[in-house]
């Protein structure tokens, strides 16, 4: 059994970490958080130059053709650094939709530019509060033109193109839309984590190109499973960093004449953070295995790592503040960067209860299939 | 990243599988499958006799304790081969339970500290199940704080013997043990960790009295063990006089090394239960609240499984597993208790029933509710396990100890 990343993948992790410690320092994260820029351009270009945006894009489409295990490693480091870049929208979603449903011309048009960091893509899905379902999508394509409103769209204000889920005469479909073209009005909206900007996009007769002709809901589910694994790695990276921050503070802070980390009340909080982060990491390895091998276990593994990592990051980022006491509640300390990111990542592919529900449905399907066999 | 055996592991697994298939007590299969969290049940049979028979059969073929050296009853298997053996033994591993403490904790301690003569005398019979061992550390005055123990060992005047007086508690299997490893206080005038000495004790020696403890779940697996002027020859001392704490650490390190054996959590049981159990609006598993609970336990259960796989992978590469495996019992204990309580909550009024005939799911969850508090205490309480994670994994400082550097007989609470 070799249920671990390879030495080469671990080297990739080290180099990604070194790069991000320099290029995605908390100063960089705060600049985006407090500014209007939308993302850090220099960091984004650097990620492309490192080959990270195209890590899992096949070489024939201009990618590095490394693979999904490598992308998981990179995702963990991005999460650890709370990187302020449109990586997940572009790489986990837009590129994956193109790979899953795009025709050759569409892939050739977009994927090399994603790999080169020349374009930003996103997926425009939600329109209203509550779990997104096909029935709740009112945006409509008619005569090759899209109308409707999508909110919130991750990186919607900075993206060059979007994959949009919209209704047409034949049901839900997926469409490619040039967000810099006519019929598109974008406004930045305030969100829980301003280091990752979101937008309201109003489409009013925007020209579209159909993306795939199959069952759009099935494509979305498949892409979301893949994105769930990658996002879970970001969440695990964030969990580990939040745990480290809390540990370091517990060692450094003196109260009642001793390091607060010597009090069992603090130790037990930290031990529980370690437990949740460890369980999430192990589930993520399963997800990475399933994602990289195209295993039939992917839907169950993806839901498992999504649920586990969402809980872990929420748990660790919340308790990181608690261990820091009053200082953790200040703007000056970095705890809130992780707390905000954990709350964003917990929701942006659908909430915990949605994934819990999926997980149980999928486990049940597997059990029935096994019983039938 | 894969789950595949290396060619050597695959070859070893095939050999193990063939031997088990040809030799296992298949007549027990049905009962063993039904056992599990509620404990081993072999209706109409003597569990100890069946356990000893299977252990002896394994011993004759060299499979008794595969990772021990050949001369002591093993076959010199590597750590990863040990895991493969445990995975393949599977169901039948339940029969190894009476020997688990002896082979898992006492054996390695004897191997590390006893004379060659004693190793050859005791270890092969411990391996083959002919003799059973127990571990005598905890006392009424020292459970989590085991170094606070008070059982005295004093050198008898003009002889090579030690005289033991005192009491141990929570000793699993003492009622059927032949020998034990016994931690005693040999010097009360120095701080608590510095005055301890370890011995091998004959459990049938004059002055040893075993009294079963009636547990809250009705069982009697634990015991109190009283020592009144019990004599132990100095040759049966393990390690130097007053170095018993270091010897005990060897024992305790082995306690948490059991990587291949699966920790019971109750998850498969509750998943099966809610798939069939009907709530007023349909199967329980279709209820959103039930699903949220199940999902939480599902990812803990898979998290533990894949955490173990990560440790196994380290072994497979010849590396030492990382500290992540230390979370197992902490997660599994609470989870078992929560699962049992939730199943009873779904059963509603009928959840109070405890007989196999009347209670839903043959009283599985009622048994779990009554067993699970013990799981969270035995082998290190949840709180001690959290301290261990915080101090040894995360590097936090130890708690302030008011008895540190104070002679044991002058420490607070004495």
């Amino acid at each position: 059994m070799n249920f671990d990343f390879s030495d080469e993948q671990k080297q990739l992790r080290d180099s990604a970490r070194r790069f991000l410690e320099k290029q995605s320092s908390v100063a960089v994260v705060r600049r985006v958080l407090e500014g209007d820029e939308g993302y850090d351009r220099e960091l984004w270009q650097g990620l492309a130059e490192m080959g990270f945006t195209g890590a899992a894009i096949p070489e024939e489409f201009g990618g590095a053709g490394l693979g999904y295990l490598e992308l998981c490693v990179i995702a963990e480091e991005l999460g650890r650094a709370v990187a302020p870049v449109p990586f997940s929208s572009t790489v986990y979603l837009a590129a994956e939709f193109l790979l899953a449903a795009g025709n050759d011309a569409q892939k050739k048009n977009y994927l090399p530019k994603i790999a080169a960091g020349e374009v930003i893509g996103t997926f425009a899905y939600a329109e209203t509060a509550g779990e997104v379902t096909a029935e709740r999508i009112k945006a409509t394509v008619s005569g090759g033109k899209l109308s409707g409103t999508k909110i919130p769209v991750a990186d919607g204000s900075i993206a060059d193109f979007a994959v949009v889920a919209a209704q047409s005469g034949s049901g839900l479909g997926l469409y490619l839309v040039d967000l810099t073209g006519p019929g598109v009005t974008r406004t930045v909206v305030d969100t829980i984590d301003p280091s990752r900007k979101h937008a309201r996009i109003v489409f009013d007769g925007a020209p579209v190109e159909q993306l795939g002709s199959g069952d759009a809901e099935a494509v979305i589910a498949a892409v979301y499973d893949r994105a769930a694994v990658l996002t879970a790695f970001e969440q695990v990276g964030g969990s580990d960093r939040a745990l480290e921050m809390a540990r370091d503070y517990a060692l450094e802070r003196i109260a009642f004449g001793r390091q607060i980390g010597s009090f069992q009340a603090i130790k037990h909080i930290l031990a529980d953070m370690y437990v949740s982060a460890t369980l999430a990491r192990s589930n993520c390895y399963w997800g990475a295995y399933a994602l990289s091998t195209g295993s039939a276990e992917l839907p169950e593994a993806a839901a498992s790592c999504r649920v586990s990592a969402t809980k872990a990051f929420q748990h660790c980022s919340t308790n990181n503040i608690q261990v820091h006491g009053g200082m953790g509640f200040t703007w000056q300390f970095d705890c809130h960067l992780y707390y905000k990111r954990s709350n964003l990542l917990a929701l942006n592919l659908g909430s915990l209860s949605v994934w819990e529900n999926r997980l149980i449905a999928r486990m049940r399907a597997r059990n029935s299939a096994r019983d039938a066999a | 990243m894969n789950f595949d055996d290396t060619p050597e592991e695959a070859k070893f697994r095939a050999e193990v599988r063939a031997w088990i298939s040809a030799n296992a007590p298949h007549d027990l299969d049905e009962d063993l499958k039904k056992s599990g969290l509620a404990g081993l049940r072999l209706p109409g049979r003597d569990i100890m006799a069946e356990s000893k028979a299977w252990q002896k059969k394994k011993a004759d073929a060299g499979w008794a304790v595969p990772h021990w050296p050949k001369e002591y009853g093993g076959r010199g298997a590597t750590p990863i081969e040990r895991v493969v053996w445990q995975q393949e033994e599977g169901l039948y591993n339940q029969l190894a339970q009476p020997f688990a403490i002896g082979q898992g904790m006492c054996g390695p301690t004897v191997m590390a500290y006893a004379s060659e003569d004693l190793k050859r005398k005791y270890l092969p019979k411990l391996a083959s199940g002919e003799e059973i061992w127990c571990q005598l550390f905890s006392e009424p005055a020292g459970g989590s704080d085991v170094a606070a123990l008070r059982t005295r060992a004093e050198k008898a005047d003009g002889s090579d013997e030690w005289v033991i007086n005192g009491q141990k508690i929570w000793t699993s299997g003492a009622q059927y043990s032949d020998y034990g490893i016994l931690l005693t206080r040999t010097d009360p005038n120095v701080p608590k960790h510095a005055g301890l000495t370890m011995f091998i004790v004959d459990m049938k020696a004059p002055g040893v009295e075993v009294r079963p403890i009636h547990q809250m779940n009705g069982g009697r697996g634990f015991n109190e063990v009283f020592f009144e002027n019990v004599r132990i020859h100095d040759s049966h001392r393990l390690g130097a006089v007053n170095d018993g704490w270091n010897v005990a650490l060897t024992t305790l390190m082995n306690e948490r090394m059991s990587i291949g054996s699966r920790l019971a959590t109750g998850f498969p049981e509750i998943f099966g239960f809610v798939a069939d159990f009907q709530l007023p609006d349909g199967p329980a598993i279709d209820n959103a609240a039930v699903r949220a609970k199940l999902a939480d336990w599902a990812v803990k259960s898979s998290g533990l499984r894949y955490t173990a796989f990560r440790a196994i992978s380290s072994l497979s590469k010849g590396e030492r597993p990382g500290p992540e495996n230390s979370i197992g019992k902490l997660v599994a204990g609470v989870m078992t208790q929560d699962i049992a309580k939730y199943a009873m909550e779904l059963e509603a009024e009928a959840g109070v029933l405890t007989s196999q005939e009347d209670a839903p799911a043959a009283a599985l969850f009622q048994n779990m509710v009554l067993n699970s508090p013990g799981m969270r205490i035995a082998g290190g309480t949840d709180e001690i396990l959290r301290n261990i994670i915080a101090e040894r994994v995360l590097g936090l400082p130890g708690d302030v100890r008011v008895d540190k550097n104070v002679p044991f007989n002058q420490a607070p609470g004495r």
Side-chain angles (χ1 to χ4, degrees), chain B residues 73-94:
Chain B
R75 67 190 299 122
T78 63
I80 189 69
E81 287 172 344
R82 177 187 181 187
V83 169
V84 171
W85 164 263
Q86 284 173 327
Q87 289 171 336
E88 293 298 323
E89 189 182 20
L91 214 51
Y92 307 105
N93 187 256
Q94 294 177 83

Side-chain angles (χ1 to χ4, degrees), chain A residues 311-323:
Chain A
K311 286 179 182 239
F313 196 14
Q314 296 265 33
H315 180 77
C316 290
S317 70
T318 304
N319 283 300
N320 183 30
I321 295 178
Q322 191 67 22
V323 168

Side-chain angles (χ1 to χ4, degrees), chain B residues 209-400:
Chain B
E209 188 197 345
V210 177
R211 291 186 205 157
I213 296 171
H214 196 183
Q215 297 154 201
M216 63 160 278
N217 62 349
R220 293 173 193 270
F222 294 120
N223 301 275
E224 292 179 289
V225 182
F226 295 85
F227 296 89
E228 194 182 346
N229 295 321
V230 174
R231 297 180 84 91
I232 300 178
H233 193 269
D234 190 55
S235 62
H236 281 56
R237 174 166 44 80
L238 294 174
V241 174
N242 293 334
D243 196 34
W245 184 248
N246 281 321
V247 181
L249 289 180
T250 307
T251 315
L252 296 171
M253 247 163 47
N254 280 286
E255 182 170 31
R256 300 190 179 93
M257 266 301 290
S258 190
I259 282 166
S261 50
R262 189 164 291 176
L263 270 169
T265 60
F267 180 70
E269 287 80 2
I270 188 138
F271 197 89
F273 176 69
V274 297
D276 293 331
F277 191 75
Q278 297 293 316
L279 295 176
D281 52 353
I285 198 169
D286 290 339
N287 177 285
V290 173
R291 283 191 168 201
K293 291 268 191 193
L294 279 185
D296 184 40
W297 294 321
V299 301
K300 284 185 174 136
S301 173
S302 57
L304 288 180
R305 180 165 67 247
Y306 294 110
T307 299
F309 283 4
R310 288 168 58 199
I312 293 168
S313 300
S314 300
L315 292 179
S316 177
K317 282 185 270 189
E319 298 165 2
R320 272 179 76 88
E324 60 274 358
N325 229 46
S326 61
I327 69 171
K329 193 178 95 75
L330 180 56
V331 175
V334 184
M335 189 167 148
T336 308
Q337 193 166 34
D338 289 348
I339 283 176
K341 285 182 187 167
Y342 193 65
M344 284 169 62
E345 148 82 16
L346 293 174
E347 291 166 8
E349 277 85 340
V352 303
L353 300 169
T354 54
S355 77
Q356 280 197 62
E357 299 73 44
D358 297 328
L364 170 68
F365 299 109
Q366 287 72 12
N367 277 317
M368 277 168 63
V369 157
L370 294 175
N371 287 339
S372 54
M375 291 175 59
R376 297 184 51 193
I377 295 165
T381 64
D382 286 1
E383 291 68 32
I384 290 291
L385 296 179
R386 286 191 177 94
N387 286 351
I388 289 172
I389 291 170
E391 292 172 22
R392 300 206 198 138
V393 180
L394 300 176
L396 292 166
D399 210 333
V400 171

Side-chain angles (χ1 to χ4, degrees), chain B residues 186-206:
Chain B
T186 34
D187 187 353
N189 301 305
V190 293
K192 65 180 179 183
H193 291 99
L196 304 175
T197 304
M198 187 83 82
F199 296 95
I200 295 172
V201 63
D202 179 351
M203 292 295 286
K204 311 284 193 246

